[in-house]
Structures are given as C-alpha cells and as structure tokens.
Amino acid sequence: MNRHSYNAIAEDWDAARATLSRHEPAFLDRLLIDMPLAGKILDLGCGTGRPIAEFLLKRGFHVTGVDQAEDLLALARQRLPQGRWLQARMESFEPDETYDGAVIWDSLFHIPRAQHAPILEKIVDCLRPGAKLMLTVGGSAHPAFTDTMFGHTFFYDSLTPEQTVSALTALGSVIEHAEFINPPTRGRDKGRYGIVARVA
C-alpha cells in the first residue's frame, strides 16, 4: 500500500526529509538511553534512510531498514551503504534476528489499523528485554482516508493514541514517554502522536 506513490515521489520525498524535525532529536535521545554501543536497530518503514537511520548510523549503530518502495531503498543504499536495506511490506516482514531497539516512525499509519496490533506484537517479539521502540501513530479517532502529497495519493489509517498505548501495554511494554507531536485540528490534520516504549 502506497508503494507506487512513494516510488513516484522518491526524489521529492528525499529532499523534503533531509534533516530531523524539531521533535525528533528528543525522541531519539530517549530511544538511545542505555542502548549498547554498536547496538542493532530495526527501522520499519525506513524510506530513504534519511534522516533517522542516517542519524543512527553516524553514531555507530547497526541499522536494518525495511521499506516496500524500491526507489526509496535505492537512495538509502546509495547514500548509506553501511546500512542493511530490505524490501518488504510491513505486514509481511519477518525479523530474522534480535534487535536492541526499533523505530516505526511515520509509517504505521499507512497500514490498515487492523494490522497495527499484529505488527507491534511482531516487533516487540524481536526486541531483547529492556530494548525500546520509538513510533508514531495518528493523533485522533477517524475513519481511514486518503490524502495527496507531491501530487500523488496516499492511504492513512490508525489506531488512536489510547488504543496504541493499550496494545503496547498488553504486550508487556512499559510506556516511557508519549506526547502529541502535532495535535489534531478540526480541519485536514488528524494529528500525530509519538511514543517511546520499553520491552519488559
């Protein structure tokens, strides 16, 4: 889902996501607290690898990036050859190792919400005890919808922040930090909510 649209805007998306946003450094700091040196991090929905995987790789972590859009991955492989880049859909990806941390940043809300809990369970299961997961979800209750970006159509759907926290808690994770990155408005913006959770 959204693969063809992301392939179509690969260059524009790469240029738009060149640097970390205002909120991202603080979330990354929380993710990396107590992370082993040269730890292994899974980035699910990694896009071009920029800026988050790039940030992690520059700090000596080993990153496995997963995305369904081959044109985004081509840019990641070209710019960041030290990363491991795998083409797969989030719903069907099966981790083949244990990780010290995971990122699902601005990607889970492109997947139908019925798949969110199974994806979260799969990722929690591949993390070592004490590892952390950093993710974003939609910021409000709403039906699935489509919107446009750089002239192409994208699908969006999400559990609410409360439902996502409940799903993670049911998996034995402890919520260490959660906040609105941008609150929902009465208009087009459904909001975005960031979470850092620790695997018990």
Side-chain angles (χ1 to χ4, degrees), residues 84-106:
R84 180 188 183 208
W85 308 107
L86 306 177
Q87 185 179 1
R89 297 170 66 236
M90 293 173 64
E91 307 95 310
S92 58
F93 170 69
E94 292 297 335
D96 60 358
E97 55 184 319
T98 300
Y99 294 93
D100 300 300
V103 175
I104 316 176
W105 197 255
D106 290 353

Side-chain angles (χ1 to χ4, degrees), residues 1-2 5-6 9 13 106-114 116 136-140 142-150 152-159 188-192:
M1 190 167 290
N2 295 331
S5 292
Y6 268 117
I9 69 162
W13 179 248
D106 290 353
S107 54
L108 190 60
F109 49 53
H110 283 316
I111 305 297
R113 71 185 72 189
H116 289 199
T136 51
V137 295
S140 59
H142 56 78
F145 67 98
T146 59
D147 203 349
T148 58
M149 182 166 51
F150 297 111
H152 291 267
T153 301
F154 290 83
F155 172 87
Y156 296 86
D157 196 14
S158 185
L159 297 174
R188 174 182 176 187
D189 192 344
K190 305 298 191 296
R192 195 160 53 111

Side-chain angles (χ1 to χ4, degrees), residues 108-109 113 116 120 135-142 157-170 175 177-184 190-197:
L108 190 60
F109 49 53
R113 71 185 72 189
H116 289 199
L120 292 174
L135 71 154
T136 51
V137 295
S140 59
H142 56 78
D157 196 14
S158 185
L159 297 174
T160 65
E162 295 81 7
Q163 289 168 332
T164 305
V165 166
S166 293
L168 288 166
T169 301
I175 305 303
H177 182 77
E179 67 171 309
F180 280 101
I181 296 172
N182 53 293
K190 305 298 191 296
R192 195 160 53 111
Y193 195 76
I195 300 170
V196 176

